[in-house]
Amino acid sequence: MLTTDQTDSELGRHLLTIRGVQFIFGAQGDPFAMILRAGDDDPLDHGARAREQGLHESSVGAWVTASRELGARVLGDPRFSPRHAEEGPQSHPGVDVWDNPLLCHVVPLDDARLNLDPAAYATLAEVSAPLLSAEALAARAPEIEAAYRETLAAAGERFDLYRDFAVPAALRVVADVLGLPDETRERLPELHAGLATALDAGSCPQQLATARALLTAVSGLSAELTGLVEAGRATGLAGLSPEDAVAIGALAVVVGVEVTATAVCNAVEVLLAHPEEWQRIGQDPAAAPAAVREALRLAPPLRFESRIAREQVEFDGKTIEEGRRVVVLVDAANRDPEAFADPDAFTPGRGDGDRSLTLLGGPAAPVTDALVRVQTEAAIRALAALRPALRTNAEVLRRMRSAALHGVLRFPVA
């Protein structure tokens, strides 16, 4: 069992083994293995090849689909879960990855609440509704947008969209929503730096120092939230059971910051390629929701979704055995020509836009979707209104080993 008590040698060997398997199978042409390698190439090319293959078994131990229709069936089927049936941390060190390539749950992220069963997320969505529902956050929309406007005002004329704007504004909004005390707010940037790879690390092994920082940050966040909840010092979480309060707080910090920051950067990158829409939002803020929804269809912050079959399932004449992993390539499925007219075109308000498979928070989306969406729309409105001539100032750099998020490393704008 892989835990934070593993030595660097044990953890490093585990990460290198999985990385090596992904690299070798990718070199043999497996599309999903190529995506997991997360190099400089375009994952959409691999997704298009995966779509041509239909539902197929990847050499890295997963069934893979890039079909919008089949993807929707998988993601909506209660027989699929983010976790295996067995209890305990979800990770698979020590398996023979060549004969039994269990390359999911690379490191245990249970304390980040990223691997709960669908029923658990449904329960958390219900109990967190007064705090995180679309209605609750709509009531806070003015203060959320104020946080983004004030962060933008402090950024200067040339700034990094991710580091100087999207992340600090999201940290502030999440802290406000959770009602965190000042000393925890001061710790959040450090915790976020360690947590930023959480959505990738379950499928794409990070470098040793990055993985160690992630495991430390996950444990630190869980301990911090537990202490605050027990002391009644996270005022936004008051009235919830301690277990639910810590879970909701962890998801708000892990997903509500990094997925939001990625969504903001993705939406801006798409919109700046369509300056007429950028200008339209600046003149009519009500245009932001449709533009953001379409931008995140083309560039979802989570590029693929991973689920585990909790029983044997038949799809398209193929048998997915209990315990097997199924991967939906969301970015490719969102460009499926069988589901979308002119699928590569940016068309806000398109009639088939509600068919997008983009989930803002992966399996935790029932809890986090509104938190990410409301912030992203607020960010786009603030930027389009206050920086109508915004442009990229240098090449946008994405993180290596960021197969799921395709996370931003640098996004210079002026």
Side-chain angles (χ1 to χ4, degrees), residues 31-32 35-36 38-48 50-51 64-67 71 75 199-200 203 259 261-270 294-307 325-335 356-363 396-399 401-408 411:
F32 184 52
I35 290 170
L36 291 175
D40 294 328
D41 45 354
D42 184 357
L44 285 173
D45 290 342
H46 307 309
R51 187 167 54 242
V64 177
T65 181
S67 160
L75 297 179
L199 279 300
D200 287 306
S203 296
V259 175
T262 303
V264 169
C265 290
N266 288 1
V268 168
E269 191 168 28
V270 171
E294 175 68 350
L296 297 185
R297 178 185 71 85
L298 294 171
L302 283 170
R303 300 300 178 103
F304 64 81
E305 296 283 348
S306 180
R307 302 290 188 271
R325 183 188 189 194
V326 181
V327 171
V328 178
L329 301 179
V330 173
D331 55 355
N334 279 353
R335 296 170 183 254
S356 169
L357 296 186
T358 298
L359 298 178
L360 299 180
V396 177
L397 297 182
R398 301 277 176 166
R399 290 200 307 264
R401 306 196 184 195
S402 185
L405 273 175
H406 204 43
V408 176
F411 199 132

Side-chain angles (χ1 to χ4, degrees), residues 167-194:
V167 168
L171 285 169
R172 174 177 164 180
V173 168
V174 167
D176 288 344
V177 169
L178 298 180
L180 301 182
D182 289 344
E183 61 269 26
T184 300
R185 291 169 182 261
E186 293 173 1
R187 285 199 64 202
L188 278 185
E190 177 186 356
L191 285 170
H192 169 262

